[in-house]
Amino acid sequence: QVQLVESGGDSVQTGGSLTLSCAVSGYTTSGNCMAWFRQGSGEAREGIASIYTDSSVTYYAASVEGRFTISHDLHKNTAYLQMDNLKPEDTDIYYCAAIKGFWRRCPLGPLSYLHWGQGTQVTVSS
């Protein structure tokens, strides 16, 4: 059974940092796109960062580029999202997702992904 479990969500002040983790079990993340998404209440799910695990090629949404960093540890079968200089508009539930296949640049559209975690809440106060 494939499971993706996010952790690391918390409440921080503007300008703070958090690191989210996405631990994967029942599935090897080698040769996968892994991505982070976020979604607010009543809003569409937004793709913010992706990584192809074999090449470590990353792709970011403009809203987070330069502030967030996605990474992956194959041995731990875990993806990470380092978030710096957090802003109140970063407040959302954050989800990780995975899809196996060959990609030159992993997509940020949610329909491209098969496996999903349950989400972790990030709250940034001003």
Side-chain angles (χ1 to χ4, degrees), residues 28-70:
T28 178
T29 54
S30 174
N32 271 255
C33 280
M34 295 198 71
W36 287 93
F37 294 79
R38 62 187 183 185
Q39 187 171 22
S41 178
E43 297 178 356
R45 190 164 293 191
E46 176 192 13
I48 56 173
S50 67
I51 185 168
Y52 185 60
T53 58
D54 281 5
S55 67
S56 295
V57 171
T58 58
Y59 182 43
Y60 297 94
S63 57
V64 305
E65 190 161 20
R67 300 188 298 123
F68 291 9
T69 304
I70 187 172

Side-chain angles (χ1 to χ4, degrees), residues 60-96:
Y60 297 94
S63 57
V64 305
E65 190 161 20
R67 300 188 298 123
F68 291 9
T69 304
I70 187 172
S71 61
H72 172 260
D73 186 326
L74 181 60
H75 298 291
K76 295 183 179 180
N77 225 29
T78 299
Y80 303 93
L81 185 68
Q82 173 68 38
M83 305 188 294
D84 297 316
N85 191 21
L86 283 161
K87 305 174 182 180
E89 52 263 44
D90 295 318
T91 295
D92 266 329
I93 299 175
Y94 284 70
Y95 300 87
C96 69

Side-chain angles (χ1 to χ4, degrees), residues 6 12 14-15 31 33 62 81 90 92 105 107-108 126:
E6 301 96 336
V12 297
T14 298
C33 280
L81 185 68
D90 295 318
D92 266 329
R105 188 181 73 178
L108 292 180
S126 57

